[in-house]
Amino acid sequence: TLKPVARISTSRRCSVPSVVRIPVGVIASIDPETRMIVLEDGSSWLAADEVELAGLAPGDTISVVYTDGTTTLTEVTRVE
């Protein structure tokens, strides 16, 4: 099971959600039509529209960034 390694937030007047980066996960399945990524640990994530999914495939090791409290990925990077 992956655990967050960093939480970044600001304490200014406006409320800004925390951002969490997960260092490594392995894609079990990916559906480009629904933008859903399922990792081998069983967690399911929805890739935001701006996240490029081309070139990602089951078995790829990835690092992800998401907004704390959501399952929407704002960044996905393949780890070689």
Side-chain angles (χ1 to χ4, degrees):
T1 302
L2 300 174
K3 295 185 169 82
V5 294
R7 292 183 188 269
I8 304 164
S9 65
T10 62
S11 58
R12 300 181 191 262
R13 286 187 169 166
C14 64
S15 176
V16 176
S18 297
V19 174
V20 180
R21 178 177 295 275
I22 295 177
V24 177
V26 178
I27 297 174
S29 66
I30 185 167
D31 184 339
E33 187 174 309
T34 63
R35 305 191 61 74
M36 186 65 61
I37 297 173
V38 178
L39 299 180
E40 286 185 347
D41 69 359
S43 60
S44 297
W45 302 90
L46 178 65
D49 290 338
E50 64 271 11
V51 174
E52 180 61 51
L53 298 179
L56 294 176
D60 286 348
T61 301
I62 58 172
S63 121
V64 300
V65 175
Y66 66 97
T67 302
D68 197 16
T70 75
T71 58
T72 301
L73 302 176
T74 56
E75 183 181 319
V76 177
T77 306
R78 189 169 53 165
V79 178
E80 307 247 352

